Amino acid sequence: MARPGDNETNLPFPILVGDIGGTNARFALLVDVFAEPKQFPIVQTADFANIDDALQQCILDKSSVQPRSAILALAGPIEGDEVPLTNCPWVVRPRDMIANLGFEDVLLVNDFEAQALATASLDESDREKIGPGIERSAASRAVLGPGTGLGVAGLVHARHTWFPVPGEGGHVDVGPRSERDYQIWPFLEPIEGRISAEQLLCGRGIMNIYHAVSAADGIDAPLETPADVTAKALAQADRAAIETVSLFSTYLGRVAGDMAMIFMAKGGVFLAGGISQKILPALRGPEFRAAFEDKAPHSALLKSIPTYVVTHPVAALAGLAAFARMPDRFGVATEGRHWKR
Ligand SMILES: Nc1ncnc2c1ncn2[C@@H]1O[C@H](COP(=O)(O)OP(=O)(O)OP(=O)(O)O)[C@@H](O)[C@H]1O
């Protein structure tokens, strides 16, 4: 058993935690293990040529307390000393951050790993339960987040420790099941011969479903953005948009149920990502949960598993903060992604 201070992941305070997506970067500072995280205004990645400028101008120049370490969650695989971000021209170079910005330690993790860490510590007020299910505090979880893409991760509970399992679960194959699916599927465009979950369950996926529904019915598809489609659907104002969001909820339920079975996620399946919060009224409808439970011969198991929409505005930061304060609670792998001065 590691003693306090022995752990590779006991980074020195003050610790800067950051969640860097394609469009937005969110940061908070933990002064010490007891203090509440101090959140900084959200940064648009497009406003800064690189991450070091953003950190200097938005964090370091604005705070009297200077961070000694940083834990950053990034969208994309972390390999080597230069990590390019998906959907954004920034490249994260931890060695430069240590040399130029005064950090002693930099740890990089995957963005959905941070979302997974968050699911272990979210309060009741930071999540909304969808449907039935038995709440179990010490059981594995899974998180799915439809946003610019579809992020997926597991959080395995073993040996009194939470182990985040990042992966590429958003890219699993999906296929038609209902009669209506078989009408729509021919109008979905395969990528290299297949349809993956991410082609349906993200912003672009909403448009793919909307266009396929419209094409199957031989009608025009005038709506131009995912936000237009969901707004029309939630206002009950457009038939194709309503069906699109209904199918999106069904497909999200199916994939969420698959992830629940893969991770034996008796602790719950959590829906993160920007889109889940925006279509919350639709996810409360019957489609999501019915599809989640429709997993013969394991329907009884799925019925017992709770599902939640994460409503915390910066859940990934909350997950990183929980880890920064109590690293021994979590089995976060640091090999190849922890840089020290
Ligand atoms: N009201 C809405 N309904 C449905 N989709 C939306 C809505 N508003 C934005 N989107 C879509 O959500 C996606 C962005 O998702 P999200 O806000 O989760 O960003 P992200 O992937 O976390 O990236 P970042 O962290 O850079 O902001 C885009 O594809 C966008 O078109």
Side-chain angles (χ1 to χ4, degrees), residues 21-24 26 146-149 202-204 206 226-227 230 273-275 278-279:
T23 313
N24 301 297
R26 307 161 187 91
T148 306
C202 66
R204 212 173 0 92
I206 291 175
T230 58
I275 294 176
K278 287 170 184 139
I279 63 161

Side-chain angles (χ1 to χ4, degrees), residues 36 44 49 279:
E36 281 300 306
Q44 306 286 304
I279 63 161

Side-chain angles (χ1 to χ4, degrees), residues 19-26 42-47 86-88 90 148:
D19 171 30
I20 303 166
T23 313
N24 301 297
R26 307 161 187 91
I42 292 175
V43 176
Q44 306 286 304
T45 53
D47 291 346
T86 315
N87 303 318
C88 150
W90 286 6
T148 306

Side-chain angles (χ1 to χ4, degrees), residues 112 141-147 149-154 167-177 181 185 188 194-202 205 209 246-265 268-272 276 283 287-295 302 305-308:
F112 267 77
R141 288 133 200 251
V143 57
L144 286 82
L150 175 64
V152 174
E168 292 294 344
H171 294 269
V172 294
D173 274 45
V174 289
R177 243 184 95 173
D181 292 345
W185 237 254
L188 294 171
R194 73 186 192 107
I195 308 288
S196 76
E198 186 173 84
Q199 278 161 268
L200 305 175
L201 299 175
C202 66
I209 300 172
S246 165
L247 290 171
F248 183 93
S249 304
T250 296
Y251 302 152
L252 185 58
R254 282 184 200 160
V255 177
D258 289 343
M259 296 304 151
M261 290 191 291
I262 288 168
F263 288 106
M264 192 49 93
V269 176
F270 292 74
L271 302 178
S276 307
L283 294 173
E287 294 95 332
F288 169 76
R289 188 68 202 188
F292 179 83
E293 294 177 3
D294 186 13
K295 294 287 181 192
L302 273 289
I305 294 181
T307 44
Y308 304 91

Side-chain angles (χ1 to χ4, degrees), residues 115-135:
Q115 294 283 359
L117 294 172
T119 67
S121 43
L122 289 176
D123 286 336
E124 294 273 324
S125 58
D126 297 328
R127 60 188 205 191
E128 180 176 320
K129 192 163 177 236
I130 306 287
I134 303 162
E135 307 219 2

Side-chain angles (χ1 to χ4, degrees), residues 70-72 74 78 83 92 94 106-110 337-339:
I71 308 175
L72 303 179
L74 310 178
I78 294 152
V83 184
V92 179
V106 175
L107 176 67
L108 303 183
V109 302
N110 167 275
R337 47 191 203 163
H338 184 185
W339 289 260

